[in-house]
Amino acid sequence: MSRAGPVIALLAMLAGCAAPHRPAPQVDATRPPPQAQTSPQAETPPPAPAQPLQRLRGAYDASRGWVLCGEQAAQPLRVTPQARSALEPFVAGHAQFFLDGWGRRSGQGLDLISVERMHTEGPGCNEPLASFAWVAHGQEPFWAFAITATGMRFKAAGEPARTYPYVAPQRGDDQVVYAGQAFVLTLRKQPCASSMADARYAWSAELQADGRTWRGCAWQGMQGEAAAQVPAR
């Protein structure tokens, strides 16, 4: 026993003898017992929000990967099921081609979410996407319809070019429609292949003007309204 033990016991006895009797304190049974103090729990931080989709374009090589426009190093490519369904048929017949789509950068390389278009011949990285919102075109006979923030231009083979004032589109889940006084251009989210060029697109196009109908494919630019559209599935 420690030296302090007997001293404490003796003081307790003296206090018991000298102090008058006092009743024991009353306990309020209606009050809940005090809660034991616990250390605060660390909260699990919420998951980081997904990065917004980016327009990714560049030369794709089945053996090396994807070299984006303005870069030199090839990066591995990962694809979602929806992008794979569009990509694999084209890859089967082409080891190298220009790939234009929507995706994100990740620590493992490039994640391709959806394909906008693929082709073996064309302007590639030199195409100024910021100069137009949409381009629709077809073959046999040739026709092209360009949409910009300042107006629209239509050119058919053997005919003079025509211009129209800009009209805002009507958007649905699977299509975008531009309806002017002299034309209706309907863009639908469905795979489209050029009949003469070795190219595949995520959008089909149908133009009605002058009592005639033209059909072909389309792709998005990055001017104004197009940047806010839902990427092609």
Side-chain angles (χ1 to χ4, degrees):
M1 179 180 295
S2 66
R3 295 180 181 179
V7 176
I8 295 175
L10 179 61
L11 292 175
M13 292 177 60
L14 293 175
C17 296
H21 175 73
R22 294 185 178 89
Q26 299 296 320
V27 177
D28 186 355
T30 63
R31 295 180 60 184
Q35 298 293 326
Q37 297 294 324
T38 59
S39 59
Q41 299 294 323
E43 295 184 359
T44 303
Q51 296 179 1
L53 293 180
Q54 297 177 310
R55 189 71 174 266
L56 303 175
R57 302 186 298 153
Y60 176 77
D61 188 308
S63 62
R64 296 179 59 233
W66 200 4
V67 181
L68 297 183
C69 295
E71 300 182 8
Q72 296 182 350
Q75 300 189 52
L77 175 63
R78 303 190 308 175
V79 298
T80 60
Q82 65 183 28
R84 186 179 301 278
S85 63
L87 187 64
E88 285 188 339
F90 201 75
V91 172
H94 307 85
Q96 299 175 340
F97 56 91
F98 187 82
L99 175 59
D100 180 359
W102 300 82
R104 300 183 179 94
R105 297 174 183 267
S106 69
Q108 290 74 37
L110 300 170
D111 295 340
L112 182 64
I113 307 301
S114 63
V115 175
E116 185 71 24
R117 58 178 172 162
M118 301 168 285
H119 59 75
T120 57
E121 297 181 5
C125 293
N126 294 324
E127 184 177 30
L129 291 183
S131 66
F132 62 90
W134 287 93
V135 169
H137 77 110
Q139 309 288 343
E140 300 177 357
F142 170 81
W143 66 275
F145 197 102
I147 299 175
T148 71
T150 58
M152 306 181 177
R153 186 176 186 272
F154 172 48
K155 179 70 174 71
E159 301 179 18
R162 282 166 277 182
T163 58
Y164 306 104
Y166 174 81
V167 293
Q170 303 170 14
R171 304 182 188 277
D173 292 337
D174 297 311
Q175 69 179 21
V176 180
V177 179
Y178 291 86
Q181 294 182 351
F183 71 91
V184 176
L185 176 65
T186 302
L187 308 169
R188 295 185 176 90
K189 283 183 181 178
Q190 59 187 29
C192 184
S194 174
S195 59
M196 296 186 67
D198 197 1
R200 301 292 186 275
Y201 305 85
W203 298 82
S204 68
E206 180 180 278
L207 174 65
Q208 296 177 341
D210 300 334
R212 295 178 290 175
T213 300
W214 289 267
R215 292 182 175 86
C217 305
W219 66 94
Q220 298 183 77
M222 292 293 290
Q223 184 188 78
E225 59 173 32
Q229 292 178 7
V230 177
R233 293 187 295 208

